[in-house]
Amino acid sequence: MESTTEKSSHYNNLEQMSVKEILRDINHEDQTVPLAVEKALPQIEKLVTITAEKMKNGGRLFYIGAGTSGRLGVVDASECPPTFGVPFDRVVGIIAGGDGAIRKAVEFAEDNMEQAWKDLLEYRINDKDVLVGIAASGTTPYVIGGLKMASEHHITTGCIVCNSGSPVAAGAKYPVEVITGPEFLTGSTRMKAGTAQKLVLNMLSTAVMIQMGFVKGNKMVDMQLTNNKLVDRGTRMVMNETGLDEQTAAALLKEYGSVRKAVEAYGK
């Protein structure tokens, strides 16, 4: 059965379109993605809930994927330490073919059923952890194999796919299926499907970190102060919480290294 992500585009003769027409039609298709994600909210809620529960008990969150899907997992994982102040090894993104595949496609890396588990074993994945397979098609052997082995070792599994009834979803205890339909450019799942996966990953990691207490009010109080922009943001946050002037707030932030610690220190 042909997957919906592989079905022919609703548009034809793309090379004959004007730039204005191309952009208009891509944008029209993109507008359908958040609505598709909305339909999957109950599935996303279940995945967030179990992930937060596992991580509160010392577990980690792993992403595995190939190509665009793998890159999206790596991006989401890499953003968690600077955004929420968690250790770099609490959320781990693994891409088929290794880190070199982030920049350059590695031929046939996604077709190896055994490699994902080998990659995961390097991190000593265990039954405290959660593994989320990311695959637009839902048929990627690398992801299927990883989920299968994880399930056999009693590891909680989830997935983010963009076709219904896929092998990846069948292999995950907490599947998230966002049905995005045919792409503007036939089969180019870096487009709508990739956008959908990014939206779900945003939801998953952000909601889990909020549940774990890494956010106060609506602020990233545990963010890492890795550049001047973030130091300035942190200083404003300390000012707002304490009523201190900018110079004093900046000094307090520099001394304690995070907004949360600076505010707590002032409160004492």
Side-chain angles (χ1 to χ4, degrees):
M1 186 177 73
E2 185 183 30
S3 60
T4 55
T5 55
E6 292 295 325
K7 285 187 175 178
S8 185
S9 171
H10 297 309
Y11 310 87
N12 206 349
N13 301 315
L14 306 187
E15 72 278 13
Q16 295 175 21
M17 288 183 173
S18 67
V19 171
K20 182 178 181 180
E21 289 171 329
I22 292 169
L23 299 180
R24 179 198 65 202
D25 292 341
I26 291 174
N27 180 248
H28 176 75
E29 288 299 313
D30 285 345
Q31 290 177 42
T32 68
V33 176
L35 299 177
V37 172
E38 183 180 21
K39 293 177 182 177
L41 285 177
Q43 292 182 321
I44 301 169
E45 181 182 359
K46 290 177 182 177
L47 181 56
V48 167
T49 301
I50 188 63
T51 302
E53 181 183 315
K54 285 282 189 175
M55 293 190 75
K56 284 177 183 177
N57 289 315
R60 298 165 293 172
L61 171 58
F62 287 87
Y63 298 131
I64 55 169
T68 297
S69 297
R71 294 182 189 103
L72 289 169
V74 171
V75 166
D76 194 72
S78 68
E79 291 287 354
C80 287
T83 305
F84 302 106
V86 296
F88 73 94
D89 58 353
R90 289 301 301 278
V91 184
V92 179
I94 299 173
I95 183 171
D99 284 355
I102 295 171
R103 291 184 177 273
K104 184 178 179 182
V106 176
E107 290 185 4
F108 303 107
E110 70 174 61
D111 296 325
N112 190 324
M113 286 276 287
E114 288 77 40
Q115 190 59 47
W117 184 245
K118 293 177 183 176
D119 293 342
L120 289 162
L121 285 178
E122 291 185 17
Y123 294 88
R124 298 183 180 178
I125 191 169
N126 59 71
D127 59 9
K128 289 184 177 180
D129 302 322
V130 176
L131 174 64
V132 176
I134 312 170
S137 65
T139 60
T140 309
Y142 180 84
V143 176
I144 295 170
L147 291 173
K148 181 176 182 293
M149 290 301 295
S151 295
E152 289 180 8
H153 287 79
H154 309 291
I155 296 166
T156 299
T157 56
C159 73
I160 306 168
V161 298
C162 296
N163 285 307
S164 59
S166 71
V168 167
K173 187 172 182 181
Y174 297 93
V176 174
E177 298 173 296
V178 183
I179 313 306
T180 48
E183 297 285 357
F184 171 78
L185 179 62
T186 299
S188 183
T189 51
R190 68 188 178 84
M191 300 185 78
K192 288 195 302 181
T195 300
Q197 290 171 322
K198 180 68 170 74
L199 292 177
V200 174
L201 288 166
N202 288 348
M203 290 177 162
L204 174 58
S205 56
T206 303
V208 165
M209 294 300 160
I210 291 171
Q211 290 291 301
M212 291 180 67
F214 290 108
V215 171
K216 184 176 180 183
N218 57 16
K219 302 294 194 300
M220 297 180 286
V221 293
D222 294 310
M223 66 182 180
Q224 295 176 354
L225 306 174
T226 53
N227 58 48
N228 289 333
K229 178 190 74 174
L230 296 179
V231 171
D232 290 344
R233 180 190 296 164
T235 301
R236 291 194 303 272
M237 289 162 65
V238 173
M239 290 169 64
N240 291 337
E241 288 291 321
T242 63
L244 292 170
D245 63 83
E246 183 175 357
Q247 187 175 358
T248 308
L252 196 65
L253 182 64
K254 184 177 181 180
E255 180 180 355
Y256 288 96
S258 80
V259 173
R260 184 190 297 275
K261 291 177 181 177
V263 171
E264 287 176 351
Y266 176 79
K268 294 176 181 177

